[in-house]
Amino acid sequence: MNKLTALLFLLPSLTMAQVELTTDMFEVVEVKQANGKSKIEWVKPDNIIPGDKVGYRITVNNKGTEEAGDLVLNNPVPDNTVYVADSARGANSKIEFSVDGGSQFGEPAQLFIKKDGKQLPATAKDYTHVRWTLLSPLNAGDKSSVQYVVQVK
C-alpha cells in the first residue's frame, strides 16, 4: 500500500484541504461459483506472472477541514503491462486516457497513434496513462475511489 499526502491550495477561496491518496494493488481473477457461473474478484496478489490481470484502486481521502475541489488523478499504465479495455471506473468522474506518455489526454474516440506513417485510432493497448477528473468537490472527511485493470505482458 502506497500513501501520498498532498496539500492542495484551493483558489480563489484560499482555503486548505489535506488530501491523502492510497493505491492498493490486487490480482483480478475469475472464480467459478457453485452454480457453474463465473465471477470476477479482486484478491490479494500472490504470484503475478505474464498473462495475469492486476487491478489498481486509488482511494482519495480528504483529511482536511475544507472541501477539496479540482481533484485530478493521473496514473501511468505500469511498464510491461497493457490497459484492459473498459476497466477504468470512478463514480462522479470524467475518465480520459493518454497515448503519448501523459502529455495529452482525451476520450478513446479522440486518441490516435502513428504507425508506418499513418494515423490510426488508438486502442486500449496503446494507452500510457489513465486520468480521472472528479466532477464535484470532495467534502471534508469524505473518501472516493477510482480503479483500473492492466494485464501483465
Side-chain angles (χ1 to χ4, degrees):
M1 179 169 31
N2 296 326
K3 287 190 177 185
L4 170 68
T5 301
L7 294 179
L8 302 177
F9 290 94
L10 306 175
L11 298 176
S13 64
L14 296 178
T15 59
M16 192 165 44
Q18 184 178 2
V19 176
E20 179 181 89
L21 301 178
T22 305
T23 300
D24 295 304
M25 184 180 87
F26 300 88
E27 183 174 5
V28 180
V29 296
E30 186 174 346
V31 177
K32 293 272 187 186
Q33 297 179 312
N35 64 6
K37 293 186 179 183
S38 298
K39 179 180 175 185
I40 301 296
E41 292 187 4
W42 287 40
V43 299
K44 182 179 176 183
D46 185 27
N47 183 28
I48 303 295
I49 60 172
D52 285 350
K53 292 182 180 176
V54 177
Y56 292 93
R57 183 172 296 131
I58 302 96
T59 302
V60 183
N61 184 2
N62 183 356
K63 293 189 166 199
T65 57
E66 302 289 334
E67 71 179 19
D70 301 322
L71 293 174
V72 177
L73 306 173
N74 183 5
N75 271 57
V77 174
D79 291 339
N80 299 312
T81 69
V82 293
Y83 171 79
V84 173
D86 302 318
S87 68
R89 302 280 185 271
N92 198 30
S93 65
K94 178 180 180 182
I95 302 171
E96 297 176 298
F97 304 92
S98 175
V99 294
D100 62 4
S103 294
Q104 297 180 347
F105 286 84
E107 295 178 8
Q110 301 169 320
L111 300 175
F112 295 89
I113 60 166
K114 288 196 177 194
K115 185 174 183 181
D116 299 327
K118 297 179 184 176
Q119 184 171 327
L120 303 171
T123 66
K125 292 180 180 180
D126 299 314
Y127 298 167
T128 61
H129 289 74
V130 184
R131 179 171 76 184
W132 298 263
T133 302
L134 276 60
L135 299 177
S136 60
L138 189 62
N139 292 326
D142 282 357
K143 292 181 183 182
S144 185
S145 65
V146 298
Q147 64 186 41
Y148 69 109
V149 177
V150 298
Q151 186 167 24
V152 179
K153 291 182 184 179

